[in-house]
């Protein structure tokens, strides 16, 4: 999965983990905040994605702790995951610049 664009949920999860390790609920909240409320992941979707990202080597378990009798697992972005996120950021920047250039070439008033 290292080639091509990242799916938006993957991009947002990696972005959420870029600043610091987080547990699942923290990731869910951060994804919603980063997307300005547009993306609301379900727990099942998140943990399936974290398993896949872990298998890809992009995230890893940072630590585990028991809180109120329940296991809380914290995840962190690996160096490989950070590198993949940076590739995606550069890809998006490039596409954004291309769109901006094209919009500047657009005739005033557009076409009918």
């Amino acid at each position: 999965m290292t080639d091509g664009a990242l799916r938006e949920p993957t991009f947002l999860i990696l972005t959420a983990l870029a600043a610091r390790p987080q547990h699942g609920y923290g990731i869910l909240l951060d994804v919603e905040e980063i997307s300005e409320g547009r993306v609301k992941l379900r727990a099942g979707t998140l943990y399936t994605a974290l398993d896949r990202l872990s298998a890809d080597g992009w995230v890893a378990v940072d630590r585990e702790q028991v809180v109120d009798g329940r296991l809380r697992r914290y995840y962190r972005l690996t160096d490989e995951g950070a590198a993949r996120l940076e590739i995606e950021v550069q890809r998006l920047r490039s596409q954004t610049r291309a769109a901006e250039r094209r919009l500047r070439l657009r005739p005033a008033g557009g076409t009918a």
Side-chain angles (χ1 to χ4, degrees):
M1 182 188 269
T2 56
D3 294 338
L6 294 179
R7 293 182 53 229
E8 185 175 29
T10 300
F11 177 79
L12 292 169
I13 292 166
L14 295 178
T15 300
L17 292 171
R20 67 190 178 287
Q22 295 194 68
H23 56 79
Y25 186 67
I27 297 169
L28 290 175
L29 293 177
D30 217 8
V31 163
E32 187 172 346
E33 180 183 326
I34 293 165
S35 70
E36 298 177 339
R38 199 175 39 76
V39 176
K40 296 177 183 175
L41 297 177
R42 295 179 186 261
T45 302
L46 173 65
Y47 288 107
T48 298
L50 288 169
D51 287 344
R52 180 178 42 80
L53 294 170
S54 181
D56 289 343
W58 296 355
V59 303
V61 173
D62 185 67
R63 66 187 182 279
E64 296 177 336
Q65 65 182 177
V66 177
V67 177
D68 296 329
R70 296 181 61 184
L71 181 65
R72 181 179 286 174
R73 184 171 289 150
Y74 287 77
Y75 296 87
R76 65 175 170 78
L77 189 64
T78 64
D79 289 344
E80 187 177 347
R84 183 59 185 94
L85 180 59
E86 181 61 34
I87 288 168
E88 185 67 4
V89 167
Q90 294 305 321
R91 186 189 70 77
L92 291 169
R93 279 188 185 138
S94 176
Q95 288 186 346
T96 299
R97 284 190 302 268
E100 288 171 335
R101 284 191 303 271
R102 295 285 177 110
L103 282 168
R104 283 192 296 270
L105 297 174
R106 186 172 185 266
T111 59

